Amino acid sequence: MQKIPKRVYTLEFKERAVKRVQSGRSIASVAREMGLVEQTVRNWVRRSEAGKLESSAGKAVTPEEMELSRLRAEVAELREENTILRKATAYFAKDAL
């Protein structure tokens, strides 16, 4: 399975997400609205409360790279499903004879 590249977010983006949670909104709704994973928002809130929220130092990922990564992961998943279906077909074909 392909590893999905780490996305890089600006400090302002992280602070905006944290402020929305601190204003009373749920982590799930903020994550859904901003296109993030809930655990990511939860981590940012925790780091902000500890005073350690900072900008990512990783390499910026382009939208094309993210799409390519997503498609590679999808292809891998579909291949695995196809293998399972082949095995199931062979198993049931054996029982029919």
Side-chain angles (χ1 to χ4, degrees), residues 57-96:
K59 174 186 143 219
V61 179
T62 65
E64 291 83 15
E65 290 172 328
M66 285 300 297
E67 179 70 7
L68 183 59
S69 171
R70 187 190 65 75
L71 290 172
R72 284 182 177 154
E74 185 177 339
V75 166
E77 182 180 345
L78 290 172
R79 284 186 177 151
E80 185 177 338
E81 290 174 1
N82 195 9
T83 303
I84 292 169
L85 288 172
R86 275 194 212 134
K87 289 179 182 178
T89 302
Y91 176 79
F92 289 116
K94 211 180 344 176
D95 284 347

mmCIF file of all heavy atoms in Angstrom, residues 57-96:
data_model
loop_
_atom_site.group_PDB
_atom_site.id
_atom_site.type_symbol
_atom_site.label_atom_id
_atom_site.label_comp_id
_atom_site.label_asym_id
_atom_site.label_seq_id
_atom_site.Cartn_x
_atom_site.Cartn_y
_atom_site.Cartn_z
ATOM 1 N N ALA A 57 6.945 21.840 9.426
ATOM 2 C CA ALA A 57 8.230 22.066 8.775
ATOM 3 C C ALA A 57 8.421 21.122 7.601
ATOM 4 O O ALA A 57 9.462 21.098 6.989
ATOM 5 C CB ALA A 57 9.354 21.876 9.785
ATOM 6 N N GLY A 58 7.393 20.324 7.297
ATOM 7 C CA GLY A 58 7.499 19.345 6.218
ATOM 8 C C GLY A 58 7.412 19.988 4.847
ATOM 9 O O GLY A 58 7.188 21.179 4.696
ATOM 10 N N LYS A 59 7.598 19.150 3.831
ATOM 11 C CA LYS A 59 7.541 19.607 2.445
ATOM 12 C C LYS A 59 6.078 19.835 2.048
ATOM 13 O O LYS A 59 5.214 19.019 2.350
ATOM 14 C CB LYS A 59 8.165 18.520 1.564
ATOM 15 C CG LYS A 59 8.060 18.759 0.108
ATOM 16 C CD LYS A 59 8.577 17.546 -0.640
ATOM 17 C CE LYS A 59 7.697 17.382 -1.845
ATOM 18 N NZ LYS A 59 7.354 16.081 -2.212
ATOM 19 N N ALA A 60 5.811 20.926 1.368
ATOM 20 C CA ALA A 60 4.458 21.216 0.926
ATOM 21 C C ALA A 60 4.040 20.215 -0.141
ATOM 22 O O ALA A 60 4.827 19.852 -1.013
ATOM 23 C CB ALA A 60 4.384 22.630 0.361
ATOM 24 N N VAL A 61 2.805 19.749 -0.060
ATOM 25 C CA VAL A 61 2.286 18.763 -0.994
ATOM 26 C C VAL A 61 1.314 19.465 -1.923
ATOM 27 O O VAL A 61 0.393 20.147 -1.473
ATOM 28 C CB VAL A 61 1.571 17.627 -0.227
ATOM 29 C CG1 VAL A 61 1.012 16.606 -1.190
ATOM 30 C CG2 VAL A 61 2.520 16.978 0.750
ATOM 31 N N THR A 62 1.511 19.273 -3.226
ATOM 32 C CA THR A 62 0.631 19.907 -4.203
ATOM 33 C C THR A 62 -0.675 19.128 -4.294
ATOM 34 O O THR A 62 -0.726 17.944 -3.956
ATOM 35 C CB THR A 62 1.293 19.945 -5.593
ATOM 36 O OG1 THR A 62 1.455 18.598 -6.054
ATOM 37 C CG2 THR A 62 2.629 20.658 -5.561
ATOM 38 N N PRO A 63 -1.729 19.776 -4.756
ATOM 39 C CA PRO A 63 -3.007 19.066 -4.923
ATOM 40 C C PRO A 63 -2.893 17.867 -5.870
ATOM 41 O O PRO A 63 -3.536 16.839 -5.666
ATOM 42 C CB PRO A 63 -3.939 20.129 -5.501
ATOM 43 C CG PRO A 63 -3.350 21.422 -5.078
ATOM 44 C CD PRO A 63 -1.866 21.200 -5.020
ATOM 45 N N GLU A 64 -2.050 17.987 -6.896
ATOM 46 C CA GLU A 64 -1.859 16.881 -7.833
ATOM 47 C C GLU A 64 -1.228 15.682 -7.136
ATOM 48 O O GLU A 64 -1.617 14.536 -7.366
ATOM 49 C CB GLU A 64 -0.980 17.317 -9.016
ATOM 50 C CG GLU A 64 -1.627 18.314 -9.944
ATOM 51 C CD GLU A 64 -1.501 19.750 -9.436
ATOM 52 O OE1 GLU A 64 -0.691 20.019 -8.530
ATOM 53 O OE2 GLU A 64 -2.247 20.607 -9.949
ATOM 54 N N GLU A 65 -0.262 15.931 -6.264
ATOM 55 C CA GLU A 65 0.373 14.842 -5.527
ATOM 56 C C GLU A 65 -0.620 14.174 -4.584
ATOM 57 O O GLU A 65 -0.615 12.953 -4.424
ATOM 58 C CB GLU A 65 1.579 15.358 -4.735
ATOM 59 C CG GLU A 65 2.755 15.752 -5.601
ATOM 60 C CD GLU A 65 3.852 16.427 -4.812
ATOM 61 O OE1 GLU A 65 3.548 17.117 -3.820
ATOM 62 O OE2 GLU A 65 5.019 16.256 -5.193
ATOM 63 N N MET A 66 -1.473 14.972 -3.936
ATOM 64 C CA MET A 66 -2.481 14.412 -3.047
ATOM 65 C C MET A 66 -3.461 13.535 -3.826
ATOM 66 O O MET A 66 -3.814 12.443 -3.388
ATOM 67 C CB MET A 66 -3.245 15.525 -2.322
ATOM 68 C CG MET A 66 -2.466 16.177 -1.213
ATOM 69 S SD MET A 66 -1.974 15.046 0.091
ATOM 70 C CE MET A 66 -3.557 14.532 0.706
ATOM 71 N N GLU A 67 -3.903 14.011 -4.987
ATOM 72 C CA GLU A 67 -4.836 13.249 -5.813
ATOM 73 C C GLU A 67 -4.183 11.953 -6.295
ATOM 74 O O GLU A 67 -4.794 10.885 -6.264
ATOM 75 C CB GLU A 67 -5.301 14.098 -7.011
ATOM 76 C CG GLU A 67 -6.242 13.389 -7.941
ATOM 77 C CD GLU A 67 -7.610 13.136 -7.350
ATOM 78 O OE1 GLU A 67 -7.904 13.629 -6.249
ATOM 79 O OE2 GLU A 67 -8.405 12.425 -7.988
ATOM 80 N N LEU A 68 -2.942 12.026 -6.729
ATOM 81 C CA LEU A 68 -2.220 10.844 -7.177
ATOM 82 C C LEU A 68 -2.091 9.837 -6.042
ATOM 83 O O LEU A 68 -2.299 8.629 -6.223
ATOM 84 C CB LEU A 68 -0.839 11.233 -7.703
ATOM 85 C CG LEU A 68 0.021 10.115 -8.272
ATOM 86 C CD1 LEU A 68 -0.676 9.433 -9.438
ATOM 87 C CD2 LEU A 68 1.365 10.663 -8.705
ATOM 88 N N SER A 69 -1.782 10.314 -4.869
ATOM 89 C CA SER A 69 -1.653 9.451 -3.704
ATOM 90 C C SER A 69 -2.983 8.792 -3.366
ATOM 91 O O SER A 69 -3.047 7.590 -3.082
ATOM 92 C CB SER A 69 -1.156 10.273 -2.520
ATOM 93 O OG SER A 69 -1.214 9.532 -1.351
ATOM 94 N N ARG A 70 -4.052 9.560 -3.406
ATOM 95 C CA ARG A 70 -5.376 9.018 -3.123
ATOM 96 C C ARG A 70 -5.761 7.953 -4.140
ATOM 97 O O ARG A 70 -6.280 6.893 -3.786
ATOM 98 C CB ARG A 70 -6.416 10.139 -3.127
ATOM 99 C CG ARG A 70 -7.809 9.692 -2.675
ATOM 100 C CD ARG A 70 -8.845 10.757 -2.915
ATOM 101 N NE ARG A 70 -9.056 11.059 -4.320
ATOM 102 C CZ ARG A 70 -9.731 10.277 -5.163
ATOM 103 N NH1 ARG A 70 -10.257 9.147 -4.771
ATOM 104 N NH2 ARG A 70 -9.885 10.632 -6.434
ATOM 105 N N LEU A 71 -5.479 8.217 -5.412
ATOM 106 C CA LEU A 71 -5.822 7.261 -6.463
ATOM 107 C C LEU A 71 -4.998 5.979 -6.341
ATOM 108 O O LEU A 71 -5.512 4.883 -6.568
ATOM 109 C CB LEU A 71 -5.617 7.901 -7.837
ATOM 110 C CG LEU A 71 -6.621 8.999 -8.194
ATOM 111 C CD1 LEU A 71 -6.215 9.694 -9.490
ATOM 112 C CD2 LEU A 71 -8.025 8.451 -8.289
ATOM 113 N N ARG A 72 -3.737 6.108 -5.974
ATOM 114 C CA ARG A 72 -2.902 4.911 -5.781
ATOM 115 C C ARG A 72 -3.448 4.055 -4.643
ATOM 116 O O ARG A 72 -3.487 2.829 -4.736
ATOM 117 C CB ARG A 72 -1.458 5.306 -5.493
ATOM 118 C CG ARG A 72 -0.719 5.750 -6.724
ATOM 119 C CD ARG A 72 0.718 6.087 -6.404
ATOM 120 N NE ARG A 72 1.431 6.435 -7.621
ATOM 121 C CZ ARG A 72 2.487 7.205 -7.663
ATOM 122 N NH1 ARG A 72 2.987 7.706 -6.546
ATOM 123 N NH2 ARG A 72 3.077 7.460 -8.809
ATOM 124 N N ALA A 73 -3.854 4.690 -3.572
ATOM 125 C CA ALA A 73 -4.425 3.951 -2.444
ATOM 126 C C ALA A 73 -5.727 3.271 -2.858
ATOM 127 O O ALA A 73 -5.987 2.124 -2.472
ATOM 128 C CB ALA A 73 -4.663 4.892 -1.269
ATOM 129 N N GLU A 74 -6.531 3.948 -3.660
ATOM 130 C CA GLU A 74 -7.788 3.378 -4.123
ATOM 131 C C GLU A 74 -7.539 2.179 -5.029
ATOM 132 O O GLU A 74 -8.216 1.152 -4.922
ATOM 133 C CB GLU A 74 -8.598 4.445 -4.863
ATOM 134 C CG GLU A 74 -9.971 3.982 -5.285
ATOM 135 C CD GLU A 74 -10.778 5.081 -5.957
ATOM 136 O OE1 GLU A 74 -10.464 6.273 -5.761
ATOM 137 O OE2 GLU A 74 -11.728 4.734 -6.679
ATOM 138 N N VAL A 75 -6.555 2.279 -5.926
ATOM 139 C CA VAL A 75 -6.212 1.164 -6.810
ATOM 140 C C VAL A 75 -5.758 -0.038 -5.988
ATOM 141 O O VAL A 75 -6.162 -1.176 -6.250
ATOM 142 C CB VAL A 75 -5.125 1.583 -7.836
ATOM 143 C CG1 VAL A 75 -4.521 0.373 -8.520
ATOM 144 C CG2 VAL A 75 -5.715 2.523 -8.862
ATOM 145 N N ALA A 76 -4.940 0.187 -4.981
ATOM 146 C CA ALA A 76 -4.471 -0.906 -4.132
ATOM 147 C C ALA A 76 -5.646 -1.582 -3.430
ATOM 148 O O ALA A 76 -5.709 -2.813 -3.347
ATOM 149 C CB ALA A 76 -3.460 -0.387 -3.123
ATOM 150 N N GLU A 77 -6.584 -0.792 -2.933
ATOM 151 C CA GLU A 77 -7.756 -1.344 -2.254
ATOM 152 C C GLU A 77 -8.614 -2.149 -3.226
ATOM 153 O O GLU A 77 -9.081 -3.251 -2.899
ATOM 154 C CB GLU A 77 -8.581 -0.213 -1.638
ATOM 155 C CG GLU A 77 -9.784 -0.687 -0.879
ATOM 156 C CD GLU A 77 -10.593 0.451 -0.286
ATOM 157 O OE1 GLU A 77 -10.078 1.593 -0.221
ATOM 158 O OE2 GLU A 77 -11.739 0.197 0.096
ATOM 159 N N LEU A 78 -8.813 -1.646 -4.439
ATOM 160 C CA LEU A 78 -9.618 -2.351 -5.434
ATOM 161 C C LEU A 78 -8.953 -3.658 -5.859
ATOM 162 O O LEU A 78 -9.635 -4.669 -6.071
ATOM 163 C CB LEU A 78 -9.868 -1.453 -6.646
ATOM 164 C CG LEU A 78 -10.808 -0.273 -6.397
ATOM 165 C CD1 LEU A 78 -10.823 0.654 -7.606
ATOM 166 C CD2 LEU A 78 -12.199 -0.740 -6.046
ATOM 167 N N ARG A 79 -7.635 -3.660 -5.975
ATOM 168 C CA ARG A 79 -6.924 -4.900 -6.310
ATOM 169 C C ARG A 79 -7.110 -5.944 -5.221
ATOM 170 O O ARG A 79 -7.303 -7.130 -5.498
ATOM 171 C CB ARG A 79 -5.440 -4.619 -6.531
ATOM 172 C CG ARG A 79 -5.156 -3.978 -7.860
ATOM 173 C CD ARG A 79 -3.683 -3.833 -8.113
ATOM 174 N NE ARG A 79 -3.477 -3.265 -9.441
ATOM 175 C CZ ARG A 79 -2.449 -2.528 -9.786
ATOM 176 N NH1 ARG A 79 -1.494 -2.273 -8.903
ATOM 177 N NH2 ARG A 79 -2.345 -2.057 -10.998
ATOM 178 N N GLU A 80 -7.043 -5.512 -3.978
ATOM 179 C CA GLU A 80 -7.240 -6.434 -2.862
ATOM 180 C C GLU A 80 -8.660 -7.002 -2.878
ATOM 181 O O GLU A 80 -8.860 -8.207 -2.692
ATOM 182 C CB GLU A 80 -6.965 -5.721 -1.543
ATOM 183 C CG GLU A 80 -7.021 -6.619 -0.344
ATOM 184 C CD GLU A 80 -6.664 -5.895 0.934
ATOM 185 O OE1 GLU A 80 -5.993 -4.850 0.879
ATOM 186 O OE2 GLU A 80 -7.070 -6.385 2.004
ATOM 187 N N GLU A 81 -9.651 -6.144 -3.117
ATOM 188 C CA GLU A 81 -11.031 -6.602 -3.194
ATOM 189 C C GLU A 81 -11.217 -7.581 -4.343
ATOM 190 O O GLU A 81 -11.925 -8.584 -4.218
ATOM 191 C CB GLU A 81 -11.978 -5.416 -3.357
ATOM 192 C CG GLU A 81 -12.100 -4.558 -2.119
ATOM 193 C CD GLU A 81 -12.922 -3.299 -2.345
ATOM 194 O OE1 GLU A 81 -13.423 -3.083 -3.476
ATOM 195 O OE2 GLU A 81 -13.065 -2.528 -1.391
ATOM 196 N N ASN A 82 -10.567 -7.311 -5.473
ATOM 197 C CA ASN A 82 -10.654 -8.184 -6.637
ATOM 198 C C ASN A 82 -10.083 -9.568 -6.315
ATOM 199 O O ASN A 82 -10.663 -10.593 -6.693
ATOM 200 C CB ASN A 82 -9.910 -7.553 -7.819
ATOM 201 C CG ASN A 82 -10.251 -8.207 -9.128
ATOM 202 O OD1 ASN A 82 -11.154 -9.018 -9.209
ATOM 203 N ND2 ASN A 82 -9.509 -7.845 -10.161
ATOM 204 N N THR A 83 -8.977 -9.608 -5.603
ATOM 205 C CA THR A 83 -8.369 -10.875 -5.203
ATOM 206 C C THR A 83 -9.316 -11.667 -4.304
ATOM 207 O O THR A 83 -9.481 -12.878 -4.477
ATOM 208 C CB THR A 83 -7.029 -10.618 -4.481
ATOM 209 O OG1 THR A 83 -6.177 -9.878 -5.346
ATOM 210 C CG2 THR A 83 -6.365 -11.908 -4.072
ATOM 211 N N ILE A 84 -9.930 -10.975 -3.362
ATOM 212 C CA ILE A 84 -10.877 -11.642 -2.458
ATOM 213 C C ILE A 84 -12.064 -12.204 -3.247
ATOM 214 O O ILE A 84 -12.504 -13.342 -3.018
ATOM 215 C CB ILE A 84 -11.362 -10.663 -1.366
ATOM 216 C CG1 ILE A 84 -10.204 -10.317 -0.432
ATOM 217 C CG2 ILE A 84 -12.542 -11.236 -0.589
ATOM 218 C CD1 ILE A 84 -10.483 -9.174 0.509
ATOM 219 N N LEU A 85 -12.578 -11.439 -4.196
ATOM 220 C CA LEU A 85 -13.712 -11.911 -5.007
ATOM 221 C C LEU A 85 -13.331 -13.114 -5.856
ATOM 222 O O LEU A 85 -14.124 -14.044 -6.022
ATOM 223 C CB LEU A 85 -14.238 -10.778 -5.883
ATOM 224 C CG LEU A 85 -14.988 -9.678 -5.144
ATOM 225 C CD1 LEU A 85 -15.300 -8.516 -6.088
ATOM 226 C CD2 LEU A 85 -16.258 -10.211 -4.524
ATOM 227 N N ARG A 86 -12.118 -13.129 -6.408
ATOM 228 C CA ARG A 86 -11.656 -14.281 -7.185
ATOM 229 C C ARG A 86 -11.619 -15.534 -6.320
ATOM 230 O O ARG A 86 -12.036 -16.612 -6.734
ATOM 231 C CB ARG A 86 -10.266 -14.019 -7.763
ATOM 232 C CG ARG A 86 -10.297 -13.287 -9.053
ATOM 233 C CD ARG A 86 -8.928 -13.384 -9.729
ATOM 234 N NE ARG A 86 -8.734 -12.156 -10.470
ATOM 235 C CZ ARG A 86 -7.650 -11.426 -10.477
ATOM 236 N NH1 ARG A 86 -6.596 -11.804 -9.807
ATOM 237 N NH2 ARG A 86 -7.582 -10.325 -11.180
ATOM 238 N N LYS A 87 -11.080 -15.400 -5.115
ATOM 239 C CA LYS A 87 -10.995 -16.546 -4.212
ATOM 240 C C LYS A 87 -12.382 -17.038 -3.818
ATOM 241 O O LYS A 87 -12.628 -18.246 -3.748
ATOM 242 C CB LYS A 87 -10.184 -16.184 -2.971
ATOM 243 C CG LYS A 87 -8.706 -16.010 -3.261
ATOM 244 C CD LYS A 87 -7.938 -15.624 -2.017
ATOM 245 C CE LYS A 87 -6.468 -15.416 -2.333
ATOM 246 N NZ LYS A 87 -5.707 -15.002 -1.142
ATOM 247 N N ALA A 88 -13.298 -16.097 -3.558
ATOM 248 C CA ALA A 88 -14.660 -16.480 -3.197
ATOM 249 C C ALA A 88 -15.352 -17.183 -4.365
ATOM 250 O O ALA A 88 -16.059 -18.181 -4.171
ATOM 251 C CB ALA A 88 -15.461 -15.251 -2.776
ATOM 252 N N THR A 89 -15.147 -16.697 -5.577
ATOM 253 C CA THR A 89 -15.741 -17.319 -6.763
ATOM 254 C C THR A 89 -15.213 -18.727 -6.934
ATOM 255 O O THR A 89 -15.984 -19.655 -7.214
ATOM 256 C CB THR A 89 -15.427 -16.472 -8.014
ATOM 257 O OG1 THR A 89 -15.939 -15.161 -7.824
ATOM 258 C CG2 THR A 89 -16.057 -17.072 -9.244
ATOM 259 N N ALA A 90 -13.933 -18.920 -6.775
ATOM 260 C CA ALA A 90 -13.337 -20.251 -6.912
ATOM 261 C C ALA A 90 -13.891 -21.184 -5.835
ATOM 262 O O ALA A 90 -14.188 -22.358 -6.109
ATOM 263 C CB ALA A 90 -11.822 -20.165 -6.817
ATOM 264 N N TYR A 91 -14.041 -20.692 -4.634
ATOM 265 C CA TYR A 91 -14.558 -21.502 -3.530
ATOM 266 C C TYR A 91 -15.987 -21.959 -3.810
ATOM 267 O O TYR A 91 -16.335 -23.130 -3.660
ATOM 268 C CB TYR A 91 -14.504 -20.702 -2.217
ATOM 269 C CG TYR A 91 -15.100 -21.439 -1.051
ATOM 270 C CD1 TYR A 91 -14.375 -22.432 -0.392
ATOM 271 C CD2 TYR A 91 -16.378 -21.134 -0.609
ATOM 272 C CE1 TYR A 91 -14.920 -23.113 0.682
ATOM 273 C CE2 TYR A 91 -16.934 -21.805 0.466
ATOM 274 C CZ TYR A 91 -16.211 -22.795 1.107
ATOM 275 O OH TYR A 91 -16.764 -23.461 2.174
ATOM 276 N N PHE A 92 -16.849 -21.044 -4.228
ATOM 277 C CA PHE A 92 -18.239 -21.393 -4.480
ATOM 278 C C PHE A 92 -18.403 -22.223 -5.745
ATOM 279 O O PHE A 92 -19.316 -23.028 -5.857
ATOM 280 C CB PHE A 92 -19.119 -20.135 -4.512
ATOM 281 C CG PHE A 92 -19.302 -19.515 -3.159
ATOM 282 C CD1 PHE A 92 -18.822 -18.243 -2.885
ATOM 283 C CD2 PHE A 92 -19.934 -20.217 -2.144
ATOM 284 C CE1 PHE A 92 -18.979 -17.688 -1.620
ATOM 285 C CE2 PHE A 92 -20.106 -19.669 -0.890
ATOM 286 C CZ PHE A 92 -19.631 -18.398 -0.625
ATOM 287 N N ALA A 93 -17.525 -22.044 -6.717
ATOM 288 C CA ALA A 93 -17.578 -22.853 -7.931
ATOM 289 C C ALA A 93 -17.224 -24.299 -7.606
ATOM 290 O O ALA A 93 -17.771 -25.231 -8.183
ATOM 291 C CB ALA A 93 -16.635 -22.300 -8.981
ATOM 292 N N LYS A 94 -16.310 -24.489 -6.662
ATOM 293 C CA LYS A 94 -15.903 -25.831 -6.233
ATOM 294 C C LYS A 94 -17.079 -26.543 -5.561
ATOM 295 O O LYS A 94 -17.297 -27.728 -5.769
ATOM 296 C CB LYS A 94 -14.730 -25.727 -5.272
ATOM 297 C CG LYS A 94 -13.807 -26.900 -5.344
ATOM 298 C CD LYS A 94 -12.611 -26.901 -4.426
ATOM 299 C CE LYS A 94 -12.200 -25.646 -3.780
ATOM 300 N NZ LYS A 94 -11.083 -25.818 -2.854
ATOM 301 N N ASP A 95 -17.855 -25.821 -4.763
ATOM 302 C CA ASP A 95 -18.992 -26.405 -4.073
ATOM 303 C C ASP A 95 -20.125 -26.767 -5.027
ATOM 304 O O ASP A 95 -20.886 -27.697 -4.774
ATOM 305 C CB ASP A 95 -19.538 -25.433 -3.014
ATOM 306 C CG ASP A 95 -18.646 -25.381 -1.780
ATOM 307 O OD1 ASP A 95 -17.769 -26.266 -1.645
ATOM 308 O OD2 ASP A 95 -18.839 -24.465 -0.962
ATOM 309 N N ALA A 96 -20.264 -26.051 -6.123
ATOM 310 C CA ALA A 96 -21.353 -26.274 -7.071
ATOM 311 C C ALA A 96 -21.153 -27.563 -7.852
ATOM 312 O O ALA A 96 -22.114 -28.129 -8.353
ATOM 313 C CB ALA A 96 -21.480 -25.099 -8.018
#
